[in-house]
Amino acid sequence: MPQLTNPILPGFNPDPSILRVGDDYYIATSTFEWFPGVQIHHSKDLANWDLITRPLTRKSQLDMRGDPDSCGVWAPCLTHDGEKFWLVYTDVKRKDGSFKDAHNYIVWADKIEGPWSDPVYANSSGFDPSLFHDDDGKKWFVNQLWDHRTRPLKFAGIALQQFDPKPGKLVGPVKNIYKGTDLKLVEGPHLYKRNGWYYLLTAEGGTGYDHACTFARSRNIDGPYETHPQSYILTSKDAPLAALQRAGHGDIVETPDGKTYLVHLTGRPTTQERRCVLGRETAIQEAFWGDDDWLYVKNGPVPSLHVDVPGTRDDTAYWAEKRYTFENGLPIDFQWLRTPDTDRIFTTEGGKLTLFGRESIGSWFEQALVARRQQHFSYDAETTVTFKATDERTMAGLTAYYGRYNFFYLAVTAHSDGQRELLLMSSEMSWPNGNLAFPAAPVQIPNEGKVKLALTIRGRKLQFFYALEGQDLQKIGPVFDASILSDECGGHQAHGSFTGAFVGVAAHDINGTASPATFDYFTYRPQHDPSDRYEIDSLIGKAE
């Protein structure tokens, strides 16, 4: 059987929920504050995956304006009941402090591409909801249960309640069916049924380096559930040198020929400080059912870097340069932040991407920032912008972005006298105040004309470049530490930052006049072996 190297979904694709319908496999992953909500990838062979849709596309389904960083869409669950696809998701409005405002919703569709329904509200008692379709026709809703009193734990267990699709609501009593193990922080529940047993797969230990998949079972859906004799069927918590760290939050799928696989969240730290710049990714493990009717991960519980799967992966597309143009709208690789009102922040009319400057780059409400995931440890990015800045409150340019406390931004702007200039800004681990740093003197540029902006990342080294029309690219500013664009530096307490590094374009107009900035193209060029010693000077080009 062919072997692949994990992860299968590189770069910010956490909390996987996997589903097989016939010969088609689907994985849904969390998107947090990035819009549209939920990424769904498709595969025929568990090796090659394509992003095919993001189902939460309109205001009635999702409006995240005001959601803090790393809130928004948490841990979707994708299922099929033989007739329809069902998607369950949380929109988290607050996560820090004693209270969680975590609203759980259900949508459905006849086809995976949609159209997806307007949501049915389920509850707000906790996060990580999941929907289980029993063989007697009943549907059951499970979610992590939150206790703001910490009596005895904030992660209080897994709540079970029946869902009736006819009135579209939860019905009957709520029961806490599983409180986890001594590892605590029980969340991420998924229910299964096999050989007369109900199985409950949960995540424990938080989404950091103590993360784990915990397995339990019962003869009755409402328990009591006994924990797996090994407790944790997958974890890296006792293997600090394993290539795949933070392993947990999983889901199970069976192949047509009866093989079992577990997909799970993982992270790949690449620095001495154990920073995961690519965020939390999705990996896959081969599993098997023992004679005792318990599930085991092959060579587990530590996750394997290399795994046998039915298909052979073609890495050509992964390493190919992506030169994006906008004649056919915004390419699927791109997302934006929080707002469903796209017309207010960008348009692709005329075959170019035009952003309308809105609130600041630190806003939780409405800002024009369109970006794609960083999926490689080393890459180049480049764009050309046309922007008539009027003063220091209007700006547009290129950004390497994690969140409001962690970004680098090279912007075309202007001084208060109207003279256009290039300004380099950084917000390096600037919590709790979010203050900017200006690590290089501004560079005066002509008030008219296009400007090419570029950056290179080689491992943890980030360098910006610029060029005026007809000129070669030249460096601007110092070499930054790109590793701060990571969960570990995201500005929250432990287990509190959940997304990943992005690179893209932005426009901001704090005057409120919606100044337009037009970008002709965007290039993302992966670079091989991040351990090589690259010369940052290697990015050479002419401004268009």
Side-chain angles (χ1 to χ4, degrees):
M1 184 176 288
Q3 194 171 72
L4 61 73
T5 301
N6 274 309
I8 53 172
L9 300 182
F12 180 28
N13 278 288
D15 311 323
S17 171
I18 193 167
L19 167 68
R20 180 177 64 85
V21 180
D23 294 328
D24 296 290
Y25 298 93
Y26 304 98
I27 291 179
T29 54
S30 300
T31 44
F32 295 88
E33 67 264 34
W34 291 90
F35 200 96
V38 180
Q39 297 220 119
I40 296 181
H41 285 79
H42 169 259
S43 177
K44 286 284 191 178
D45 58 10
L46 294 176
N48 298 283
W49 294 88
D50 296 308
L51 178 62
I52 58 169
T53 189
R54 296 191 188 95
L56 307 180
T57 60
R58 58 189 187 270
K59 185 177 180 180
S60 62
Q61 297 170 321
L62 185 65
D63 187 346
M64 297 183 290
R65 285 174 288 193
D67 288 10
D69 287 358
S70 290
C71 289
V73 175
W74 287 17
C77 174
L78 181 66
T79 57
H80 193 271
D81 65 359
E83 296 181 359
K84 296 179 180 180
F85 290 93
W86 297 81
L87 180 69
V88 186
Y89 61 98
T90 309
D91 180 8
V92 178
K93 299 300 185 183
R94 172 188 173 173
K95 74 176 189 64
D96 293 326
S98 295
F99 285 102
K100 288 276 193 296
D101 292 306
H103 307 314
N104 295 320
Y105 300 96
I106 304 171
V107 294
W108 57 89
D110 293 329
K111 298 180 180 179
I112 195 71
E113 299 84 2
W116 288 82
S117 70
D118 280 345
V120 167
Y121 170 74
N123 63 26
S124 300
S125 59
F127 47 86
D128 292 3
S130 181
L131 190 63
F132 170 67
H133 311 281
D134 208 341
D135 50 19
D136 62 0
K138 292 182 179 179
K139 300 182 187 298
W140 295 91
F141 191 89
V142 287
N143 62 270
Q144 179 270 3
L145 192 62
W146 184 258
D147 188 343
H148 59 277
R149 308 167 305 168
T150 316
R151 191 187 295 172
L153 298 169
K154 288 184 178 178
F155 288 72
I158 303 302
L160 172 78
Q161 192 174 9
Q162 189 177 347
F163 173 70
D164 188 339
K166 290 184 178 179
K169 65 180 181 180
L170 300 180
V171 296
V174 180
K175 185 171 182 180
N176 189 339
I177 60 171
Y178 187 66
K179 296 185 179 180
T181 71
D182 291 342
L183 193 56
K184 302 178 183 179
L185 306 180
V186 62
E187 57 187 341
H190 290 290
L191 277 169
Y192 316 90
K193 193 174 186 180
R194 182 182 184 272
N195 289 350
W197 289 101
Y198 289 94
Y199 291 93
L200 179 64
L201 178 63
T202 65
E204 286 194 282
T207 196
Y209 289 90
D210 288 332
H211 208 22
C213 285
T214 302
F215 208 49
R217 71 183 182 187
S218 173
R219 289 295 186 184
N220 302 303
I221 195 168
D222 60 351
Y225 282 81
E226 61 172 320
T227 300
H228 194 287
Q230 293 183 351
S231 295
Y232 317 114
I233 61 171
L234 184 81
T235 184
S236 302
K237 67 184 181 67
D238 301 315
L241 300 182
L244 301 179
Q245 292 293 313
R246 308 173 67 179
H249 201 121
D251 197 8
I252 300 166
V253 70
E254 302 283 340
T255 66
D257 60 356
K259 289 187 177 296
T260 304
Y261 286 89
L262 171 75
V263 294
H264 64 94
L265 178 157
T266 192
R268 293 179 289 167
T270 57
T271 67
Q272 186 176 1
E273 303 92 338
R274 302 185 90 193
R275 294 174 180 173
C276 298
V277 176
L278 301 188
R280 301 174 307 153
E281 306 170 289
T282 290
I284 192 168
Q285 305 296 326
E286 188 175 354
F288 62 93
W289 292 95
D291 294 338
D292 56 1
D293 273 340
W294 282 111
L295 184 72
Y296 297 86
V297 171
K298 183 179 179 181
N299 302 320
V302 178
S304 299
L305 183 62
H306 306 291
V307 177
D308 294 331
V309 295
T312 300
R313 183 160 61 192
D314 179 3
D315 283 333
T316 304
Y318 175 71
W319 288 109
E321 174 182 312
K322 301 288 182 67
R323 183 178 173 90
Y324 300 100
T325 55
F326 307 100
E327 293 87 355
N328 298 314
L330 191 69
I332 194 171
D333 288 349
F334 288 86
Q335 287 181 277
W336 56 96
L337 288 165
R338 295 180 175 86
T339 180
D341 290 342
T342 58
D343 292 346
R344 286 183 53 82
I345 60 170
F346 72 84
T347 181
T348 56
E349 290 183 6
K352 297 181 180 181
L353 176 62
T354 298
L355 303 185
F356 304 108
R358 296 294 177 185
E359 296 175 357
S360 73
I361 195 170
S363 173
W364 286 347
F365 289 86
E366 186 179 60
Q367 59 159 294
L369 193 159
V370 174
R372 58 149 291 159
R373 284 160 175 72
Q374 179 181 343
Q375 293 181 294
H376 305 78
F377 293 111
S378 296
Y379 71 92
D380 305 331
E382 179 185 290
T383 190
T384 298
V385 61
T386 301
F387 182 60
K388 187 175 178 62
T390 57
D391 59 27
E392 66 271 28
R393 286 171 294 279
T394 56
M395 64 199 78
L398 177 67
T399 182
Y401 183 90
Y402 182 93
R404 68 178 302 193
Y405 297 115
N406 288 72
F407 63 83
F408 303 97
Y409 187 15
L410 177 58
V412 176
T413 183
H415 188 46
S416 53
D417 61 5
Q419 172 63 52
R420 205 163 65 144
E421 63 184 23
L422 286 170
L423 186 64
L424 191 57
M425 294 168 276
S426 70
S427 179
E428 301 177 60
M429 296 187 286
S430 65
W431 66 84
N433 52 41
N435 288 337
L436 287 175
F438 302 93
V443 176
Q444 286 193 2
I445 58 175
N447 280 350
E448 301 290 337
K450 296 181 180 182
V451 183
K452 178 178 282 188
L453 305 174
L455 65 82
T456 63
I457 285 182
R458 301 292 184 267
R460 69 186 299 165
K461 295 181 178 180
L462 164 61
Q463 177 71 62
F464 280 97
F465 300 81
Y466 80 95
L468 302 179
E469 291 182 88
Q471 297 182 4
D472 292 339
L473 282 165
Q474 57 182 303
K475 296 179 185 178
I476 181 171
V479 175
F480 293 106
D481 182 0
S483 73
I484 69 131
L485 302 172
S486 60
D487 293 353
E488 292 80 4
C489 302
H492 296 92
Q493 57 190 344
H495 318 299
S497 296
F498 302 137
T499 56
F502 281 70
V503 61
V505 294
H508 302 93
D509 183 349
I510 307 171
N511 291 322
T513 56
S515 299
T518 299
F519 299 87
D520 296 343
Y521 65 94
F522 189 89
T523 300
Y524 178 88
R525 185 181 306 116
Q527 297 292 335
H528 281 273
D529 194 357
S531 65
D532 285 351
R533 294 181 176 234
Y534 285 87
E535 289 295 328
I536 292 178
D537 301 342
S538 64
L539 183 64
I540 302 294
K542 296 282 187 180
E544 296 184 351

